[in-house]
Amino acid sequence: MSEEKVIITNKKAFRDYIFEHKYEAGIELRGTEVKSLREGGGNLTDSYAKIENSEIFLLHFNINPYQYGNIHNHDPKRKKKLLLHRHEINRLTSKIEEKGYALIPTRIYFKRGIVKVELGLGKGKKVF
């Protein structure tokens, strides 16, 4: 049984989207970003994933600067690369090309000490 520690949940995503599938992805982070996430410093609001050149990137995911960092601290607004298998990326690419689908991060968590992102493939809810 794998132990998971949830860091951030995107509650706004569950309000605005209906998710059909969920995917677990690794995320490419720098040292001070991981330390900042261990302290709970991050914000998933308005973040989304985008496919560029057969790679998936997470945009608008803000990780607060590490409190005890130095000049080598990270840029909080940089785009972060997500790590998925090639067949998953191909499946997501074909789905996102359909009208109305989006790739939204629903939560960030630690799984056996490694930061993971749960991506939801969903359609936007109609607002009346």
PDB file of all heavy atoms in Angstrom, residues 64-77:
ATOM      1  N   ASN A  64       5.461  29.031  -4.058  1.00  0.00           N
ATOM      2  CA  ASN A  64       6.052  30.141  -3.311  1.00  0.00           C
ATOM      3  C   ASN A  64       7.565  29.964  -3.197  1.00  0.00           C
ATOM      4  O   ASN A  64       8.051  28.844  -3.067  1.00  0.00           O
ATOM      5  CB  ASN A  64       5.456  30.229  -1.908  1.00  0.00           C
ATOM      6  CG  ASN A  64       3.962  30.430  -1.948  1.00  0.00           C
ATOM      7  OD1 ASN A  64       3.408  30.893  -2.931  1.00  0.00           O
ATOM      8  ND2 ASN A  64       3.301  30.071  -0.868  1.00  0.00           N
ATOM      9  N   PRO A  65       8.330  31.068  -3.224  1.00  0.00           N
ATOM     10  CA  PRO A  65       9.784  30.951  -3.028  1.00  0.00           C
ATOM     11  C   PRO A  65      10.093  30.358  -1.649  1.00  0.00           C
ATOM     12  O   PRO A  65       9.390  30.636  -0.679  1.00  0.00           O
ATOM     13  CB  PRO A  65      10.279  32.389  -3.117  1.00  0.00           C
ATOM     14  CG  PRO A  65       9.219  33.117  -3.863  1.00  0.00           C
ATOM     15  CD  PRO A  65       7.936  32.431  -3.526  1.00  0.00           C
ATOM     16  N   TYR A  66      11.130  29.537  -1.616  1.00  0.00           N
ATOM     17  CA  TYR A  66      11.515  28.886  -0.360  1.00  0.00           C
ATOM     18  C   TYR A  66      12.024  29.936   0.621  1.00  0.00           C
ATOM     19  O   TYR A  66      12.858  30.784   0.274  1.00  0.00           O
ATOM     20  CB  TYR A  66      12.594  27.844  -0.648  1.00  0.00           C
ATOM     21  CG  TYR A  66      13.027  27.054   0.559  1.00  0.00           C
ATOM     22  CD1 TYR A  66      12.099  26.396   1.349  1.00  0.00           C
ATOM     23  CD2 TYR A  66      14.367  26.958   0.898  1.00  0.00           C
ATOM     24  CE1 TYR A  66      12.495  25.664   2.446  1.00  0.00           C
ATOM     25  CE2 TYR A  66      14.777  26.221   1.988  1.00  0.00           C
ATOM     26  CZ  TYR A  66      13.835  25.583   2.759  1.00  0.00           C
ATOM     27  OH  TYR A  66      14.229  24.862   3.852  1.00  0.00           O
ATOM     28  N   GLN A  67      11.504  29.876   1.828  1.00  0.00           N
ATOM     29  CA  GLN A  67      11.787  30.885   2.851  1.00  0.00           C
ATOM     30  C   GLN A  67      13.275  30.994   3.170  1.00  0.00           C
ATOM     31  O   GLN A  67      13.794  32.082   3.360  1.00  0.00           O
ATOM     32  CB  GLN A  67      11.000  30.528   4.120  1.00  0.00           C
ATOM     33  CG  GLN A  67      11.182  31.493   5.245  1.00  0.00           C
ATOM     34  CD  GLN A  67      10.368  31.065   6.470  1.00  0.00           C
ATOM     35  OE1 GLN A  67       9.709  30.051   6.467  1.00  0.00           O
ATOM     36  NE2 GLN A  67      10.442  31.860   7.505  1.00  0.00           N
ATOM     37  N   TYR A  68      13.975  29.854   3.205  1.00  0.00           N
ATOM     38  CA  TYR A  68      15.383  29.855   3.576  1.00  0.00           C
ATOM     39  C   TYR A  68      16.300  29.734   2.353  1.00  0.00           C
ATOM     40  O   TYR A  68      17.461  29.388   2.477  1.00  0.00           O
ATOM     41  CB  TYR A  68      15.667  28.707   4.550  1.00  0.00           C
ATOM     42  CG  TYR A  68      14.811  28.782   5.782  1.00  0.00           C
ATOM     43  CD1 TYR A  68      13.761  27.894   5.970  1.00  0.00           C
ATOM     44  CD2 TYR A  68      15.019  29.772   6.732  1.00  0.00           C
ATOM     45  CE1 TYR A  68      12.954  27.969   7.098  1.00  0.00           C
ATOM     46  CE2 TYR A  68      14.211  29.855   7.853  1.00  0.00           C
ATOM     47  CZ  TYR A  68      13.185  28.956   8.026  1.00  0.00           C
ATOM     48  OH  TYR A  68      12.383  29.040   9.132  1.00  0.00           O
ATOM     49  N   GLY A  69      15.754  30.023   1.177  1.00  0.00           N
ATOM     50  CA  GLY A  69      16.540  29.931  -0.054  1.00  0.00           C
ATOM     51  C   GLY A  69      17.516  31.089  -0.172  1.00  0.00           C
ATOM     52  O   GLY A  69      17.464  32.077   0.548  1.00  0.00           O
ATOM     53  N   ASN A  70      18.410  30.959  -1.150  1.00  0.00           N
ATOM     54  CA  ASN A  70      19.401  32.009  -1.381  1.00  0.00           C
ATOM     55  C   ASN A  70      19.248  32.520  -2.808  1.00  0.00           C
ATOM     56  O   ASN A  70      18.157  32.485  -3.364  1.00  0.00           O
ATOM     57  CB  ASN A  70      20.808  31.470  -1.118  1.00  0.00           C
ATOM     58  CG  ASN A  70      21.095  30.215  -1.907  1.00  0.00           C
ATOM     59  OD1 ASN A  70      20.393  29.893  -2.849  1.00  0.00           O
ATOM     60  ND2 ASN A  70      22.127  29.502  -1.518  1.00  0.00           N
ATOM     61  N   ILE A  71      20.314  32.959  -3.447  1.00  0.00           N
ATOM     62  CA  ILE A  71      20.230  33.496  -4.800  1.00  0.00           C
ATOM     63  C   ILE A  71      19.838  32.431  -5.821  1.00  0.00           C
ATOM     64  O   ILE A  71      19.437  32.756  -6.929  1.00  0.00           O
ATOM     65  CB  ILE A  71      21.564  34.154  -5.218  1.00  0.00           C
ATOM     66  CG1 ILE A  71      22.694  33.131  -5.170  1.00  0.00           C
ATOM     67  CG2 ILE A  71      21.865  35.360  -4.379  1.00  0.00           C
ATOM     68  CD1 ILE A  71      23.971  33.620  -5.806  1.00  0.00           C
ATOM     69  N   HIS A  72      19.937  31.164  -5.466  1.00  0.00           N
ATOM     70  CA  HIS A  72      19.586  30.070  -6.371  1.00  0.00           C
ATOM     71  C   HIS A  72      18.133  29.643  -6.204  1.00  0.00           C
ATOM     72  O   HIS A  72      17.764  28.559  -6.635  1.00  0.00           O
ATOM     73  CB  HIS A  72      20.519  28.878  -6.152  1.00  0.00           C
ATOM     74  CG  HIS A  72      21.951  29.234  -6.362  1.00  0.00           C
ATOM     75  ND1 HIS A  72      22.464  29.566  -7.607  1.00  0.00           N
ATOM     76  CD2 HIS A  72      22.980  29.341  -5.498  1.00  0.00           C
ATOM     77  CE1 HIS A  72      23.743  29.845  -7.490  1.00  0.00           C
ATOM     78  NE2 HIS A  72      24.087  29.716  -6.218  1.00  0.00           N
ATOM     79  N   ASN A  73      17.315  30.484  -5.597  1.00  0.00           N
ATOM     80  CA  ASN A  73      15.898  30.181  -5.442  1.00  0.00           C
ATOM     81  C   ASN A  73      15.234  30.126  -6.810  1.00  0.00           C
ATOM     82  O   ASN A  73      15.698  30.736  -7.759  1.00  0.00           O
ATOM     83  CB  ASN A  73      15.225  31.245  -4.568  1.00  0.00           C
ATOM     84  CG  ASN A  73      14.349  30.649  -3.508  1.00  0.00           C
ATOM     85  OD1 ASN A  73      14.085  29.456  -3.507  1.00  0.00           O
ATOM     86  ND2 ASN A  73      13.893  31.484  -2.596  1.00  0.00           N
ATOM     87  N   HIS A  74      14.141  29.416  -6.916  1.00  0.00           N
ATOM     88  CA  HIS A  74      13.463  29.200  -8.198  1.00  0.00           C
ATOM     89  C   HIS A  74      12.545  30.366  -8.569  1.00  0.00           C
ATOM     90  O   HIS A  74      12.170  31.168  -7.726  1.00  0.00           O
ATOM     91  CB  HIS A  74      12.643  27.916  -8.113  1.00  0.00           C
ATOM     92  CG  HIS A  74      11.543  27.987  -7.098  1.00  0.00           C
ATOM     93  ND1 HIS A  74      11.755  27.744  -5.761  1.00  0.00           N
ATOM     94  CD2 HIS A  74      10.242  28.306  -7.217  1.00  0.00           C
ATOM     95  CE1 HIS A  74      10.620  27.909  -5.108  1.00  0.00           C
ATOM     96  NE2 HIS A  74       9.680  28.241  -5.968  1.00  0.00           N
ATOM     97  N   ASP A  75      12.187  30.422  -9.839  1.00  0.00           N
ATOM     98  CA  ASP A  75      11.194  31.383 -10.332  1.00  0.00           C
ATOM     99  C   ASP A  75       9.810  30.786 -10.059  1.00  0.00           C
ATOM    100  O   ASP A  75       9.504  29.704 -10.554  1.00  0.00           O
ATOM    101  CB  ASP A  75      11.395  31.612 -11.833  1.00  0.00           C
ATOM    102  CG  ASP A  75      10.360  32.540 -12.428  1.00  0.00           C
ATOM    103  OD1 ASP A  75       9.804  33.362 -11.685  1.00  0.00           O
ATOM    104  OD2 ASP A  75      10.120  32.448 -13.641  1.00  0.00           O
ATOM    105  N   PRO A  76       8.958  31.454  -9.287  1.00  0.00           N
ATOM    106  CA  PRO A  76       7.675  30.853  -8.901  1.00  0.00           C
ATOM    107  C   PRO A  76       6.717  30.599 -10.059  1.00  0.00           C
ATOM    108  O   PRO A  76       5.867  29.736  -9.970  1.00  0.00           O
ATOM    109  CB  PRO A  76       7.067  31.875  -7.943  1.00  0.00           C
ATOM    110  CG  PRO A  76       8.036  32.951  -7.758  1.00  0.00           C
ATOM    111  CD  PRO A  76       9.177  32.736  -8.682  1.00  0.00           C
ATOM    112  N   LYS A  77       6.850  31.327 -11.167  1.00  0.00           N
ATOM    113  CA  LYS A  77       5.870  31.211 -12.244  1.00  0.00           C
ATOM    114  C   LYS A  77       6.383  30.458 -13.473  1.00  0.00           C
ATOM    115  O   LYS A  77       5.730  30.479 -14.510  1.00  0.00           O
ATOM    116  CB  LYS A  77       5.400  32.604 -12.657  1.00  0.00           C
ATOM    117  CG  LYS A  77       4.696  33.311 -11.530  1.00  0.00           C
ATOM    118  CD  LYS A  77       4.133  34.621 -11.974  1.00  0.00           C
ATOM    119  CE  LYS A  77       3.650  35.381 -10.778  1.00  0.00           C
ATOM    120  NZ  LYS A  77       2.259  35.359 -10.577  1.00  0.00           N
TER     121      LYS A  77
END
